[in-house]
Structure formats: C-alpha cells, structure tokens
Coordinates of all heavy atoms in Angstrom, one line a residue:
M21 N -123.0 -108.5 -108.5 CA -122.7 -109.9 -109.1 C -121.1 -110.1 -108.9 O -120.3 -109.3 -109.5 CB -123.1 -110.0 -110.5 CG -122.7 -111.3 -111.1 SD -123.1 -111.4 -113.0 CE -124.8 -111.3 -112.9
G22 N -120.7 -111.1 -108.3 CA -119.3 -111.4 -108.2 C -118.8 -112.1 -109.4 O -119.5 -112.5 -110.4
F23 N -117.5 -112.3 -109.5 CA -116.8 -112.9 -110.7 C -117.3 -114.3 -110.8 O -117.6 -114.7 -112.0 CB -115.3 -113.0 -110.3 CG -114.5 -113.7 -111.5 CD1 -114.3 -113.1 -112.7 CD2 -114.0 -114.9 -111.2 CE1 -113.6 -113.7 -113.6 CE2 -113.3 -115.6 -112.3 CZ -113.1 -114.9 -113.4
F24 N -117.4 -115.1 -109.8 CA -117.8 -116.5 -110.0 C -119.3 -116.5 -110.4 O -119.7 -117.4 -111.2 CB -117.6 -117.3 -108.7 CG -116.2 -117.6 -108.4 CD1 -115.4 -117.0 -107.5 CD2 -115.5 -118.5 -109.3 CE1 -114.1 -117.2 -107.3 CE2 -114.1 -118.7 -109.1 CZ -113.4 -118.1 -108.1
D25 N -120.1 -115.7 -109.9 CA -121.5 -115.6 -110.3 C -121.6 -115.3 -111.8 O -122.4 -115.9 -112.5 CB -122.3 -114.6 -109.5 CG -122.5 -114.9 -108.1 OD1 -122.5 -116.1 -107.8 OD2 -122.7 -114.0 -107.2
F26 N -120.8 -114.4 -112.2 CA -120.7 -114.0 -113.6 C -120.3 -115.2 -114.5 O -121.0 -115.6 -115.5 CB -119.7 -112.9 -113.9 CG -119.5 -112.6 -115.4 CD1 -120.5 -111.9 -116.0 CD2 -118.4 -112.9 -116.0 CE1 -120.3 -111.5 -117.3 CE2 -118.2 -112.7 -117.3 CZ -119.2 -111.9 -118.0
I27 N -119.3 -115.9 -114.1 CA -118.7 -117.1 -114.9 C -119.8 -118.2 -114.9 O -120.2 -118.7 -115.9 CB -117.4 -117.6 -114.3 CG1 -116.3 -116.5 -114.5 CG2 -117.0 -118.9 -115.0 CD1 -116.0 -116.2 -115.9
F28 N -120.3 -118.6 -113.8 CA -121.2 -119.7 -113.6 C -122.6 -119.4 -114.1 O -123.3 -120.2 -114.6 CB -121.2 -120.3 -112.2 CG -119.9 -120.9 -111.8 CD1 -119.0 -120.4 -110.9 CD2 -119.5 -122.1 -112.5 CE1 -117.8 -121.0 -110.6 CE2 -118.2 -122.7 -112.2 CZ -117.4 -122.2 -111.3
G29 N -122.9 -118.1 -114.0 CA -124.2 -117.7 -114.5 C -124.2 -117.7 -116.0 O -125.2 -118.2 -116.7
A30 N -123.1 -117.4 -116.7 CA -123.0 -117.5 -118.1 C -123.0 -118.9 -118.6 O -123.7 -119.2 -119.7 CB -121.7 -116.8 -118.6
K31 N -122.4 -119.8 -117.9 CA -122.5 -121.3 -118.2 C -123.9 -121.8 -118.1 O -124.5 -122.4 -119.0 CB -121.6 -122.0 -117.3 CG -121.6 -123.5 -117.6 CD -120.7 -124.2 -116.6 CE -120.8 -125.7 -116.8 NZ -119.9 -126.4 -115.9
K32 N -124.6 -121.4 -117.0 CA -126.0 -121.8 -116.9 C -126.9 -121.2 -118.0 O -127.8 -122.0 -118.5 CB -126.6 -121.3 -115.5 CG -128.0 -121.7 -115.2 CD -128.4 -121.2 -113.8 CE -129.9 -121.6 -113.6 NZ -130.3 -121.2 -112.2
R33 N -126.7 -120.0 -118.3 CA -127.5 -119.4 -119.4 C -127.2 -120.1 -120.8 O -128.1 -120.3 -121.5 CB -127.2 -118.0 -119.6 CG -127.8 -117.1 -118.4 CD -127.8 -115.6 -118.6 NE -126.4 -115.1 -118.6 CZ -125.7 -114.8 -117.5 NH1 -126.1 -115.0 -116.4 NH2 -124.4 -114.4 -117.7
Q34 N -125.9 -120.5 -121.0 CA -125.6 -121.1 -122.2 C -126.3 -122.5 -122.2 O -126.8 -122.9 -123.3 CB -124.1 -121.3 -122.4 CG -123.8 -122.0 -123.7 CD -122.2 -121.9 -123.9 OE1 -121.5 -121.7 -123.1 NE2 -121.9 -122.2 -125.2
V35 N -126.2 -123.3 -121.2 CA -126.9 -124.6 -121.2 C -128.4 -124.5 -121.4 O -128.9 -125.2 -122.2 CB -126.5 -125.4 -119.8 CG1 -127.5 -126.5 -119.7 CG2 -125.1 -125.7 -119.7
Q36 N -129.0 -123.4 -120.8 CA -130.4 -123.2 -121.0 C -130.7 -122.9 -122.4 O -131.7 -123.4 -122.9 CB -130.9 -122.1 -120.1 CG -131.0 -122.4 -118.6 CD -131.2 -121.2 -117.7 OE1 -131.0 -120.1 -118.1 NE2 -131.7 -121.6 -116.4
L37 N -130.0 -122.1 -123.1 CA -130.1 -121.7 -124.4 C -130.0 -122.9 -125.3 O -130.9 -123.2 -126.2 CB -129.1 -120.6 -125.0 CG -129.2 -120.2 -126.3 CD1 -130.5 -119.5 -126.5 CD2 -128.0 -119.2 -126.6
Y38 N -129.0 -123.8 -125.1 CA -128.8 -125.0 -125.8 C -130.1 -125.9 -125.7 O -130.6 -126.5 -126.6 CB -127.6 -125.8 -125.4 CG -126.4 -125.4 -126.2 CD1 -125.9 -124.1 -126.2 CD2 -125.7 -126.4 -126.9 CE1 -124.8 -123.7 -126.7 CE2 -124.5 -126.0 -127.5 CZ -124.1 -124.8 -127.5 OH -122.9 -124.4 -128.3
M39 N -130.6 -126.0 -124.4 CA -131.7 -126.9 -124.2 C -133.0 -126.3 -124.9 O -133.8 -127.1 -125.5 CB -132.0 -127.1 -122.7 CG -130.8 -127.8 -122.0 SD -130.4 -129.4 -122.7 CE -131.9 -130.4 -122.4
Q40 N -133.1 -125.1 -124.9 CA -134.3 -124.4 -125.6 C -134.2 -124.6 -127.1 O -135.2 -124.6 -127.8 CB -134.3 -122.8 -125.3 CG -134.7 -122.5 -123.9 CD -134.4 -121.1 -123.5 OE1 -134.0 -120.2 -124.4 NE2 -134.8 -120.7 -122.3
N41 N -133.0 -124.8 -127.6 CA -132.9 -125.1 -129.1 C -132.8 -126.6 -129.3 O -132.3 -127.0 -130.4 CB -131.5 -124.4 -129.5 CG -131.7 -122.9 -129.6 OD1 -132.7 -122.4 -130.0 ND2 -130.7 -122.2 -129.2
G42 N -133.3 -127.4 -128.5 CA -133.5 -128.9 -128.7 C -132.1 -129.7 -128.5 O -132.1 -130.8 -129.1
A43 N -131.4 -129.2 -127.7 CA -130.1 -130.0 -127.4 C -130.4 -131.4 -126.9 O -131.4 -131.7 -126.2 CB -129.1 -129.3 -126.5
E44 N -129.5 -132.3 -127.2 CA -129.5 -133.7 -126.6 C -128.3 -133.7 -125.6 O -127.3 -133.1 -125.7 CB -129.2 -134.6 -127.7 CG -129.3 -136.1 -127.2 CD -129.7 -137.1 -128.2 OE1 -130.2 -136.8 -129.3 OE2 -129.4 -138.3 -127.9
I45 N -128.6 -134.4 -124.4 CA -127.7 -134.5 -123.4 C -126.8 -135.8 -123.7 O -127.4 -136.8 -123.8 CB -128.4 -134.6 -122.1 CG1 -129.1 -133.3 -121.8 CG2 -127.2 -134.8 -121.0 CD1 -129.9 -133.2 -120.6
I46 N -125.5 -135.6 -123.7 CA -124.6 -136.7 -123.8 C -123.8 -136.9 -122.5 O -123.2 -136.0 -122.1 CB -123.6 -136.5 -125.0 CG1 -124.3 -136.2 -126.3 CG2 -122.6 -137.7 -125.1 CD1 -125.1 -137.2 -126.9
D47 N -123.9 -138.1 -121.9 CA -123.2 -138.4 -120.6 C -122.0 -139.1 -121.0 O -122.1 -140.3 -121.5 CB -124.2 -139.2 -119.8 CG -123.6 -139.3 -118.4 OD1 -122.4 -139.6 -118.1 OD2 -124.5 -139.3 -117.4
V48 N -120.8 -138.7 -120.6 CA -119.5 -139.3 -121.0 C -118.9 -140.0 -119.9 O -117.7 -140.5 -120.0 CB -118.5 -138.3 -121.6 CG1 -119.1 -137.6 -122.9 CG2 -118.2 -137.2 -120.6
R49 N -119.6 -140.4 -118.8 CA -119.0 -141.2 -117.7 C -119.0 -142.6 -118.1 O -119.4 -143.1 -119.2 CB -120.0 -141.0 -116.4 CG -120.1 -139.6 -115.9 CD -121.1 -139.5 -114.8 NE -122.4 -139.9 -115.3 CZ -123.4 -140.5 -114.5 NH1 -123.0 -140.8 -113.2 NH2 -124.5 -140.8 -114.9
T50 N -118.3 -143.4 -117.2 CA -118.2 -144.9 -117.4 C -119.4 -145.5 -117.3 O -120.4 -145.0 -116.8 CB -117.1 -145.3 -116.4 OG1 -117.7 -145.2 -115.1 CG2 -115.8 -144.7 -116.5
Q51 N -119.5 -146.8 -117.7 CA -120.7 -147.6 -117.6 C -121.1 -147.7 -116.1 O -122.4 -147.6 -115.9 CB -120.5 -149.0 -118.2 CG -121.8 -149.8 -118.3 CD -122.8 -149.3 -119.3 OE1 -122.5 -148.9 -120.4 NE2 -124.0 -149.1 -118.8
R52 N -120.1 -148.0 -115.3 CA -120.5 -148.2 -113.9 C -121.2 -146.8 -113.3 O -122.1 -146.8 -112.6 CB -119.3 -148.5 -113.1 CG -119.5 -148.6 -111.6 CD -118.3 -148.9 -110.8 NE -118.1 -150.4 -111.0 CZ -117.0 -150.9 -110.6 NH1 -116.0 -150.3 -110.0 NH2 -116.8 -152.2 -110.8
E53 N -120.6 -145.7 -113.7 CA -121.2 -144.4 -113.2 C -122.6 -144.3 -113.7 O -123.5 -143.8 -113.1 CB -120.2 -143.3 -113.7 CG -118.9 -143.2 -112.9 CD -118.0 -142.2 -113.5 OE1 -117.7 -142.1 -114.7 OE2 -117.6 -141.2 -112.7
W54 N -122.7 -144.5 -115.1 CA -124.1 -144.3 -115.7 C -125.1 -145.3 -115.0 O -126.2 -144.9 -114.8 CB -123.9 -144.8 -117.2 CG -125.1 -145.0 -118.0 CD1 -125.8 -146.1 -118.2 CD2 -126.0 -143.9 -118.6 NE1 -126.9 -145.9 -119.0 CE2 -127.1 -144.6 -119.2 CE3 -125.8 -142.5 -118.7 CZ2 -128.0 -143.8 -119.9 CZ3 -126.8 -141.8 -119.5 CH2 -127.8 -142.5 -120.1
D55 N -124.7 -146.4 -114.7 CA -125.6 -147.4 -114.2 C -126.1 -147.1 -112.7 O -127.1 -147.4 -112.3 CB -124.9 -148.8 -114.0 CG -124.8 -149.5 -115.4 OD1 -125.5 -149.1 -116.4 OD2 -124.1 -150.5 -115.5
S56 N -125.2 -146.2 -112.0 CA -125.6 -145.7 -110.7 C -126.6 -144.6 -110.7 O -127.1 -144.2 -109.7 CB -124.3 -145.4 -109.9 OG -123.7 -144.2 -110.5
G57 N -126.8 -144.0 -111.9 CA -127.8 -142.9 -112.1 C -127.4 -142.0 -113.2 O -126.2 -141.9 -113.5
H58 N -128.4 -141.5 -113.9 CA -128.2 -140.6 -115.0 C -129.5 -139.7 -115.3 O -130.5 -140.1 -114.7 CB -127.8 -141.4 -116.2 CG -128.7 -142.4 -116.6 ND1 -128.7 -143.7 -116.1 CD2 -129.9 -142.5 -117.5 CE1 -129.7 -144.5 -116.5 NE2 -130.4 -143.7 -117.4
I59 N -129.3 -138.8 -116.1 CA -130.4 -137.9 -116.5 C -131.3 -138.7 -117.5 O -130.8 -139.2 -118.5 CB -130.0 -136.6 -117.2 CG1 -129.2 -135.8 -116.2 CG2 -131.2 -135.8 -117.7 CD1 -128.5 -134.6 -116.8
E60 N -132.6 -138.8 -117.2 CA -133.6 -139.5 -118.0 C -133.6 -138.9 -119.3 O -133.6 -137.6 -119.5 CB -135.0 -139.5 -117.3 CG -136.0 -140.3 -118.1 CD -137.3 -140.3 -117.4 OE1 -137.4 -140.2 -116.1 OE2 -138.3 -140.6 -118.1
G61 N -133.5 -139.8 -120.4 CA -133.5 -139.2 -121.8 C -132.1 -138.9 -122.3 O -132.0 -138.6 -123.4
S62 N -131.1 -138.9 -121.5 CA -129.8 -138.7 -122.0 C -129.2 -139.8 -122.7 O -129.6 -140.9 -122.6 CB -128.9 -138.2 -120.8 OG -128.6 -139.3 -119.9
R63 N -128.1 -139.6 -123.5 CA -127.5 -140.6 -124.3 C -126.1 -141.0 -123.6 O -125.4 -140.0 -123.3 CB -127.3 -140.2 -125.7 CG -126.7 -141.2 -126.6 CD -126.4 -140.6 -128.0 NE -127.7 -140.2 -128.6 CZ -128.1 -140.6 -129.9 NH1 -127.3 -141.3 -130.5 NH2 -129.2 -140.2 -130.3
H64 N -125.8 -142.2 -123.5 CA -124.5 -142.6 -122.8 C -123.5 -142.9 -123.8 O -123.7 -143.9 -124.6 CB -124.8 -143.8 -121.8 CG -123.5 -144.2 -121.2 ND1 -123.1 -145.5 -121.2 CD2 -122.6 -143.5 -120.5 CE1 -122.0 -145.6 -120.5 NE2 -121.7 -144.4 -120.1
I65 N -122.4 -142.1 -123.9 CA -121.3 -142.4 -124.7 C -120.1 -142.2 -123.9 O -119.7 -141.0 -123.7 CB -121.3 -141.5 -126.0 CG1 -122.5 -141.7 -126.8 CG2 -120.1 -141.9 -126.9 CD1 -122.7 -140.8 -128.0
P66 N -119.4 -143.2 -123.3 CA -118.2 -142.9 -122.5 C -117.1 -142.1 -123.3 O -117.0 -142.3 -124.5 CB -117.7 -144.4 -122.3 CG -118.9 -145.2 -122.3 CD -119.7 -144.6 -123.4
L67 N -116.4 -141.4 -122.5 CA -115.4 -140.4 -123.2 C -114.5 -141.2 -124.0 O -114.2 -140.7 -125.1 CB -114.7 -139.6 -122.1 CG -113.6 -138.6 -122.6 CD1 -114.2 -137.6 -123.4 CD2 -112.9 -138.0 -121.4
D68 N -114.0 -142.4 -123.5 CA -113.1 -143.1 -124.3 C -113.6 -143.6 -125.6 O -112.9 -144.0 -126.5 CB -112.5 -144.3 -123.5 CG -111.7 -143.8 -122.3 OD1 -111.2 -142.7 -122.3 OD2 -111.5 -144.6 -121.3
D69 N -114.9 -143.7 -125.8 CA -115.5 -144.2 -127.0 C -116.1 -143.1 -127.9 O -116.7 -143.4 -128.9 CB -116.7 -145.1 -126.5 CG -117.1 -146.0 -127.7 OD1 -116.3 -146.5 -128.5 OD2 -118.3 -146.4 -127.7
L70 N -115.9 -141.8 -127.4 CA -116.6 -140.7 -128.1 C -116.2 -140.6 -129.6 O -117.0 -140.4 -130.4 CB -116.4 -139.4 -127.3 CG -117.2 -138.2 -127.8 CD1 -118.6 -138.4 -127.6 CD2 -116.7 -137.0 -126.9
K71 N -114.8 -140.8 -129.8 CA -114.3 -140.6 -131.2 C -115.0 -141.6 -132.2 O -115.1 -141.4 -133.4 CB -112.8 -140.9 -131.2 CG -112.4 -142.3 -130.8 CD -110.9 -142.4 -130.8 CE -110.4 -143.7 -130.3 NZ -110.8 -144.1 -129.0
N72 N -115.6 -142.7 -131.7 CA -116.3 -143.6 -132.5 C -117.7 -143.3 -132.9 O -118.4 -144.0 -133.6 CB -116.3 -145.1 -131.9 CG -114.9 -145.6 -131.6 OD1 -114.0 -145.4 -132.5 ND2 -114.6 -146.3 -130.6
H73 N -118.2 -142.2 -132.2 CA -119.5 -141.8 -132.4 C -119.6 -140.5 -133.1 O -120.8 -139.9 -133.2 CB -120.2 -141.7 -131.1 CG -120.4 -143.1 -130.5 ND1 -121.5 -143.8 -130.7 CD2 -119.6 -143.8 -129.7 CE1 -121.4 -145.0 -130.1 NE2 -120.3 -145.0 -129.4
V74 N -118.6 -139.9 -133.6 CA -118.6 -138.5 -134.1 C -119.6 -138.5 -135.4 O -120.4 -137.6 -135.4 CB -117.2 -138.1 -134.7 CG1 -117.3 -136.8 -135.6 CG2 -116.3 -137.8 -133.5
D75 N -119.5 -139.4 -136.3 CA -120.4 -139.4 -137.5 C -121.9 -139.5 -137.0 O -122.8 -138.9 -137.5 CB -120.1 -140.5 -138.4 CG -118.7 -140.2 -139.1 OD1 -118.4 -139.0 -139.2 OD2 -118.1 -141.2 -139.6
E76 N -122.2 -140.3 -136.1 CA -123.5 -140.6 -135.5 C -124.0 -139.3 -134.9 O -125.2 -138.9 -135.2 CB -123.5 -141.7 -134.5 CG -124.7 -141.9 -133.7 CD -124.5 -142.9 -132.5 OE1 -123.5 -143.6 -132.5 OE2 -125.3 -142.7 -131.6
L77 N -123.2 -138.6 -134.1 CA -123.6 -137.3 -133.5 C -123.9 -136.3 -134.5 O -124.8 -135.5 -134.4 CB -122.6 -137.0 -132.4 CG -122.5 -138.0 -131.2 CD1 -121.4 -137.5 -130.3 CD2 -123.9 -138.0 -130.5
K78 N -123.0 -136.2 -135.6 CA -123.2 -135.2 -136.7 C -124.6 -135.4 -137.3 O -125.3 -134.4 -137.6 CB -122.2 -135.3 -137.7 CG -120.9 -134.7 -137.2 CD -119.8 -134.7 -138.3 CE -118.5 -134.1 -137.9 NZ -117.5 -134.1 -138.9
T79 N -125.1 -136.7 -137.5 CA -126.3 -136.9 -138.1 C -127.5 -136.4 -137.2 O -128.7 -136.2 -137.8 CB -126.5 -138.4 -138.4 OG1 -126.6 -139.1 -137.2 CG2 -125.5 -138.9 -139.4
L80 N -127.4 -136.2 -135.9 CA -128.5 -135.7 -135.1 C -128.8 -134.3 -135.6 O -130.0 -133.9 -135.3 CB -128.0 -135.7 -133.6 CG -127.7 -137.0 -133.0 CD1 -127.2 -136.9 -131.5 CD2 -129.0 -137.9 -133.0
N81 N -127.9 -133.6 -136.0 CA -128.1 -132.1 -136.5 C -128.7 -131.3 -135.3 O -129.7 -130.6 -135.7 CB -128.9 -132.2 -137.7 CG -128.7 -130.9 -138.5 OD1 -127.7 -130.2 -138.4 ND2 -129.7 -130.5 -139.3
K82 N -128.2 -131.4 -134.2 CA -128.7 -130.6 -133.1 C -127.6 -130.4 -132.1 O -126.6 -131.1 -132.1 CB -129.9 -131.3 -132.4 CG -129.7 -132.6 -131.8 CD -130.8 -133.2 -130.9 CE -132.0 -133.6 -131.8 NZ -133.0 -134.4 -130.9
P83 N -127.7 -129.3 -131.3 CA -126.7 -129.1 -130.3 C -126.7 -130.1 -129.2 O -127.6 -130.8 -129.0 CB -127.1 -127.7 -129.7 CG -128.6 -127.5 -130.0 CD -128.9 -128.4 -131.3
L84 N -125.5 -130.2 -128.6 CA -125.2 -131.2 -127.5 C -124.9 -130.5 -126.3 O -124.1 -129.6 -126.3 CB -124.2 -132.2 -128.0 CG -124.4 -132.9 -129.2 CD1 -123.3 -133.8 -129.6 CD2 -125.7 -133.8 -129.3
V85 N -125.3 -131.0 -125.1 CA -124.9 -130.6 -123.8 C -124.3 -131.9 -123.3 O -124.9 -133.0 -123.2 CB -126.1 -130.1 -122.9 CG1 -125.6 -129.9 -121.5 CG2 -126.7 -128.9 -123.5
V86 N -123.0 -131.8 -122.9 CA -122.2 -132.9 -122.5 C -122.0 -132.8 -120.9 O -121.8 -131.8 -120.4 CB -120.8 -132.9 -123.1 CG1 -120.1 -134.2 -122.8 CG2 -120.9 -132.8 -124.6
C87 N -122.2 -134.0 -120.3 CA -122.1 -134.0 -118.8 C -121.3 -135.2 -118.4 O -121.1 -136.1 -119.1 CB -123.4 -133.9 -118.2 SG -124.4 -135.4 -118.4
C88 N -120.7 -135.1 -117.2 CA -120.0 -136.3 -116.6 C -120.2 -136.2 -115.1 O -121.4 -135.8 -114.6 CB -118.6 -136.1 -116.9 SG -117.7 -134.7 -116.2
K89 N -119.3 -136.5 -114.2 CA -119.5 -136.4 -112.8 C -119.2 -135.0 -112.3 O -120.0 -134.5 -111.5 CB -118.6 -137.5 -112.1 CG -118.8 -137.5 -110.7 CD -117.9 -138.5 -110.0 CE -118.1 -138.5 -108.5 NZ -117.4 -139.6 -107.8
S90 N -118.1 -134.4 -112.7 CA -117.7 -133.1 -112.1 C -117.6 -131.9 -113.2 O -117.6 -130.8 -112.9 CB -116.4 -133.2 -111.4 OG -115.4 -133.5 -112.5
G91 N -117.5 -132.3 -114.5 CA -117.4 -131.3 -115.4 C -116.0 -131.3 -116.2 O -115.9 -130.7 -117.2
V92 N -115.1 -132.1 -115.7 CA -113.8 -132.2 -116.3 C -113.8 -133.0 -117.6 O -113.4 -132.5 -118.6 CB -112.7 -132.7 -115.3 CG1 -111.4 -133.0 -116.0 CG2 -112.6 -131.9 -114.2
R93 N -114.3 -134.2 -117.5 CA -114.4 -135.1 -118.8 C -115.3 -134.4 -119.8 O -115.1 -134.5 -121.0 CB -114.9 -136.5 -118.4 CG -113.7 -137.3 -117.7 CD -114.3 -138.6 -117.3 NE -115.1 -138.4 -116.1 CZ -115.8 -139.3 -115.5 NH1 -115.7 -140.6 -115.9 NH2 -116.5 -139.1 -114.3
S94 N -116.5 -133.8 -119.4 CA -117.3 -133.2 -120.3 C -116.8 -132.0 -120.9 O -117.1 -131.7 -122.0 CB -118.7 -132.9 -119.6 OG -118.6 -132.0 -118.4
A95 N -115.9 -131.3 -120.2 CA -115.2 -130.2 -120.9 C -114.3 -130.7 -122.0 O -114.2 -130.1 -123.1 CB -114.4 -129.4 -119.9
K96 N -113.5 -131.8 -121.8 CA -112.8 -132.4 -122.8 C -113.6 -132.8 -123.9 O -113.3 -132.7 -125.1 CB -112.0 -133.6 -122.2 CG -110.9 -133.2 -121.3 CD -110.2 -134.5 -120.7 CE -109.2 -134.1 -119.7 NZ -108.5 -135.3 -119.1
A97 N -114.7 -133.5 -123.6 CA -115.6 -134.0 -124.6 C -116.2 -132.8 -125.5 O -116.2 -133.0 -126.8 CB -116.7 -134.8 -124.1
A98 N -116.7 -131.9 -124.9 CA -117.2 -130.7 -125.6 C -116.2 -130.1 -126.5 O -116.5 -129.8 -127.7 CB -117.8 -129.6 -124.7
K99 N -114.9 -129.9 -126.1 CA -113.8 -129.3 -126.9 C -113.6 -130.3 -128.1 O -113.4 -129.9 -129.2 CB -112.6 -129.1 -126.1 CG -111.5 -128.6 -126.8 CD -110.3 -128.3 -126.0 CE -109.2 -127.7 -126.8 NZ -108.0 -127.2 -126.0
F100 N -113.6 -131.6 -127.8 CA -113.3 -132.6 -128.9 C -114.4 -132.5 -130.0 O -114.2 -132.4 -131.2 CB -113.3 -134.0 -128.3 CG -113.3 -135.1 -129.4 CD1 -112.0 -135.4 -130.1 CD2 -114.4 -135.8 -129.6 CE1 -112.1 -136.3 -131.1 CE2 -114.4 -136.8 -130.6 CZ -113.3 -137.1 -131.3
L101 N -115.7 -132.4 -129.5 CA -116.8 -132.3 -130.4 C -116.7 -131.0 -131.2 O -117.0 -131.0 -132.4 CB -118.1 -132.5 -129.6 CG -118.4 -133.9 -129.0 CD1 -119.5 -133.8 -128.1 CD2 -118.6 -134.9 -130.1
N102 N -116.5 -129.9 -130.6 CA -116.3 -128.6 -131.2 C -115.3 -128.7 -132.3 O -115.5 -128.2 -133.5 CB -116.1 -127.5 -130.3 CG -117.3 -127.2 -129.4 OD1 -117.1 -126.3 -128.6 ND2 -118.4 -127.7 -129.6
L103 N -114.2 -129.4 -132.0 CA -113.1 -129.5 -133.0 C -113.5 -130.4 -134.2 O -112.9 -130.3 -135.3 CB -111.8 -130.1 -132.4 CG -111.0 -129.1 -131.4 CD1 -110.0 -129.9 -130.6 CD2 -110.5 -127.9 -132.1
N104 N -114.6 -131.2 -134.0 CA -115.0 -132.0 -135.1 C -116.4 -131.5 -135.7 O -117.2 -132.1 -136.2 CB -115.2 -133.4 -134.5 CG -114.0 -134.2 -134.5 OD1 -113.5 -134.7 -135.4 ND2 -113.4 -134.3 -133.3
N105 N -116.5 -130.1 -135.5 CA -117.6 -129.4 -136.1 C -119.0 -129.9 -135.6 O -119.9 -129.9 -136.4 CB -117.6 -129.5 -137.7 CG -116.3 -128.8 -138.2 OD1 -116.0 -127.7 -137.8 ND2 -115.6 -129.5 -139.1
I106 N -119.1 -130.2 -134.3 CA -120.3 -130.5 -133.7 C -120.5 -129.4 -132.6 O -119.6 -129.1 -131.8 CB -120.3 -131.9 -133.0 CG1 -120.1 -132.9 -134.1 CG2 -121.6 -132.2 -132.2 CD1 -119.8 -134.4 -133.6
D107 N -121.7 -128.8 -132.6 CA -122.0 -127.8 -131.7 C -122.4 -128.4 -130.3 O -123.4 -129.0 -130.1 CB -123.3 -127.0 -132.2 CG -123.6 -125.7 -131.4 OD1 -122.8 -125.4 -130.5 OD2 -124.7 -125.2 -131.5
A108 N -121.4 -128.3 -129.4 CA -121.5 -128.9 -128.0 C -121.0 -127.9 -127.0 O -120.2 -127.0 -127.2 CB -120.7 -130.1 -128.0
T109 N -121.7 -128.0 -125.8 CA -121.2 -127.2 -124.7 C -121.1 -128.1 -123.5 O -121.7 -129.1 -123.4 CB -122.2 -126.0 -124.4 OG1 -121.5 -125.1 -123.4 CG2 -123.5 -126.5 -123.8
N110 N -120.2 -127.7 -122.5 CA -120.0 -128.5 -121.3 C -121.1 -128.2 -120.3 O -121.3 -127.0 -119.9 CB -118.7 -128.1 -120.7 CG -118.4 -128.8 -119.4 OD1 -119.1 -129.7 -119.0 ND2 -117.4 -128.4 -118.8
G111 N -122.0 -129.2 -120.0 CA -123.0 -129.0 -119.0 C -122.5 -129.2 -117.6 O -123.3 -129.1 -116.7
G112 N -121.3 -129.7 -117.4 CA -120.7 -129.9 -116.1 C -121.2 -131.3 -115.5 O -121.4 -132.3 -116.3
G113 N -121.3 -131.4 -114.2 CA -121.7 -132.5 -113.5 C -123.2 -132.9 -113.7 O -124.0 -132.0 -113.8
W114 N -123.5 -134.1 -113.9 CA -124.8 -134.6 -114.3 C -125.8 -134.2 -113.2 O -126.9 -134.0 -113.5 CB -124.9 -136.0 -114.7 CG -124.8 -137.0 -113.6 CD1 -123.7 -137.6 -113.0 CD2 -125.9 -137.6 -112.9 NE1 -124.1 -138.4 -111.9 CE2 -125.4 -138.5 -111.9 CE3 -127.3 -137.6 -113.2 CZ2 -126.3 -139.2 -111.1 CZ3 -128.2 -138.3 -112.3 CH2 -127.6 -139.2 -111.3
I115 N -125.5 -134.4 -112.0 CA -126.3 -134.1 -110.9 C -126.8 -132.7 -110.9 O -128.0 -132.3 -110.8 CB -125.8 -134.5 -109.5 CG1 -125.7 -136.0 -109.5 CG2 -126.7 -134.0 -108.4 CD1 -125.0 -136.6 -108.2
S116 N -125.8 -131.8 -111.0 CA -126.2 -130.3 -111.1 C -126.9 -129.9 -112.3 O -127.8 -129.1 -112.3 CB -124.9 -129.4 -110.8 OG -124.0 -129.7 -111.8
L117 N -126.6 -130.5 -113.4 CA -127.2 -130.3 -114.7 C -128.7 -130.8 -114.6 O -129.6 -130.0 -115.0 CB -126.5 -131.0 -115.8 CG -127.2 -130.9 -117.1 CD1 -127.3 -129.4 -117.6 CD2 -126.5 -131.7 -118.2
N118 N -129.0 -131.8 -114.0 CA -130.2 -132.5 -113.9 C -131.2 -131.5 -113.0 O -132.3 -131.3 -113.4 CB -130.2 -133.8 -113.2 CG -131.5 -134.6 -113.3 OD1 -132.3 -134.4 -114.3 ND2 -131.8 -135.4 -112.4
K119 N -130.6 -130.8 -112.1 CA -131.3 -129.9 -111.2 C -131.7 -128.5 -112.1 O -132.7 -127.9 -111.7 CB -130.5 -129.4 -110.0 CG -130.4 -130.5 -109.0 CD -129.5 -130.1 -107.9 CE -129.2 -131.2 -106.9 NZ -128.3 -130.9 -105.8
K120 N -131.0 -128.3 -113.1 CA -131.2 -127.1 -113.9 C -132.3 -127.3 -114.9 O -132.8 -126.4 -115.5 CB -130.0 -126.7 -114.5 CG -128.9 -126.2 -113.7 CD -127.6 -125.9 -114.4 CE -126.4 -125.7 -113.5 NZ -125.1 -125.6 -114.2
L121 N -132.6 -128.6 -115.2 CA -133.5 -128.9 -116.3 C -135.0 -128.9 -115.8 O -135.3 -129.0 -114.7 CB -133.2 -130.4 -116.9 CG -131.8 -130.5 -117.4 CD1 -131.6 -132.0 -117.8 CD2 -131.6 -129.6 -118.6

C-alpha cells in the first residue's frame, strides 16, 4: 500500500463509517453548480451561507459528510462545522462521493 492509498483509503473508510452512522450529506457548492447535478437526498447549503445554518444543523443530531466540486470548499466547511461542535467530515468532490455511496 502506497502513501496515497493509505491517505485516500483512510478518507474513504471515514466517509463510509459516517454514512453507516446515518450521516447526512451537505453540498456546499453554488446554486448554479447544484442545479447542474447533485447527490440525490443531499442538502444544499452554499459555503457562503453555512454560518447561517449552524443551529439548524446542530438540531439534526447526526454526523455530516460535506461535499463540493473538488474537496477544497468541503474541507473548509467541515473544519468550520467541527469548530462549531458539529461532527462533520470532508467527503470531497460530489461526483466521486456519489460513486462511493
């Protein structure tokens, strides 16, 4: 197992574990990106609007898997949510995440 397999395999296992524990998928892309395609059943909250949904997301009382186009915005979103005491992980790009589900 190479270094990248180790890193990306750990991420894949973490996402799988979150999904097994009833995680909800949060897509933080723009409205235009969301309209062009998204994971069925996911919730759309653009990254710029995420701070306005912290209390709402806390009431879900479940882990979150955050996705975007490439994984950069979802990494920022997951970090922000974690700092606000919400259990979230970066699911990366929505297309690759959708293939893992």
Side-chain angles (χ1 to χ4, degrees):
M21 176 187 298
F23 176 74
F24 289 108
D25 291 335
F26 174 76
I27 297 297
F28 292 111
K31 179 180 174 182
K32 181 179 178 180
R33 287 187 298 276
Q34 184 172 14
V35 168
Q36 289 172 338
L37 181 62
Y38 270 61
M39 295 307 296
Q40 290 169 358
N41 287 319
E44 183 155 339
I45 298 171
I46 307 295
D47 190 321
V48 296
R49 296 176 299 145
T50 65
Q51 186 66 50
R52 178 181 282 169
E53 290 172 306
W54 168 266
D55 291 343
S56 71
H58 55 271
I59 298 173
E60 188 173 332
S62 62
R63 182 183 298 233
H64 180 231
I65 304 174
L67 180 61
D68 291 341
D69 197 34
L70 192 60
K71 65 184 175 297
N72 298 322
H73 292 269
V74 169
D75 290 336
E76 170 191 340
L77 294 172
K78 282 183 179 181
T79 64
L80 295 176
N81 201 28
K82 59 173 70 174
L84 304 177
V85 174
V86 188
C87 67
C88 64
K89 183 176 181 180
S90 67
V92 175
R93 288 174 285 179
S94 55
K96 290 178 184 179
K99 183 175 183 175
F100 170 79
L101 293 168
N102 289 175
L103 289 171
N104 282 277
N105 298 314
I106 297 173
D107 187 12
T109 191
N110 179 10
W114 78 274
I115 292 174
S116 61
L117 177 61
N118 197 29
K119 291 177 184 176
K120 296 174 190 172
L121 302 177

